[in-house]
Amino acid sequence: VQLQASGGGLVQPGGSLRLSCAASRRLFSIKDMGWYRQAPGKQRELVATITSGGSTNYADSVKGRFTISRDNAKKTAYLQMNSLKPEDTAVYYCNGNLTWGSVWYFDNWGQGTLVTVSS
């Protein structure tokens, strides 16, 4: 089971992007979800999380600029990124737990989507 992340691209500083993450098979439901990022030469870091109940948590570096959300009907999670800075440049990954009926699939990763913030 995999997650599919999309929405990355090149944006100028101060701009916005919205990343999406959906299960590769629509029969799956997304439970707890997180967005991570890995900049060149750096370790992967947690950006934001959202529980199945909608509770959210953010890294200090993105608080007030990024918003994680979910659309259960579309079985998709989002990361709205505003006021982007060059230091936000990274490959962004989604990670989450999925269910298919009563069966759980833990720790699923998306393939990553590149976000480049540059003028």
Side-chain angles (χ1 to χ4, degrees):
V1 178
Q2 285 188 329
L3 296 170
Q4 293 179 333
S6 61
L10 174 63
V11 63
Q12 292 186 343
S16 298
L17 281 175
R18 188 177 79 158
L19 306 183
S20 300
C21 180
S24 58
R25 300 176 185 175
R26 288 295 179 171
L27 291 174
F28 290 92
S29 296
I30 299 176
K31 298 300 182 182
D32 296 352
M33 167 66 64
W35 285 97
Y36 295 74
R37 68 185 180 186
Q38 187 166 18
K42 294 187 177 180
Q43 290 187 333
R44 190 172 297 186
E45 63 175 355
L46 179 64
V47 175
T49 61
I50 186 167
T51 67
S52 56
S55 296
T56 59
N57 189 42
Y58 297 92
D60 289 342
S61 59
V62 306
K63 280 182 181 177
R65 300 188 298 122
F66 291 11
T67 302
I68 189 170
S69 63
R70 60 191 303 144
D71 185 330
N72 291 329
K74 294 183 177 179
K75 300 181 179 181
T76 302
Y78 304 96
L79 185 68
Q80 177 68 42
M81 305 185 294
N82 299 327
S83 303
L84 282 162
K85 305 175 181 181
E87 51 263 43
D88 295 318
T89 295
V91 178
Y92 284 71
Y93 300 89
C94 56
N95 172 276
N97 298 326
L98 307 175
T99 60
W100 184 357
S102 60
V103 180
W104 283 75
Y105 298 84
F106 295 99
D107 197 28
N108 301 278
W109 286 92
Q111 81 282 12
T113 184
L114 177 62
V115 173
T116 303
V117 184
S118 175
S119 54

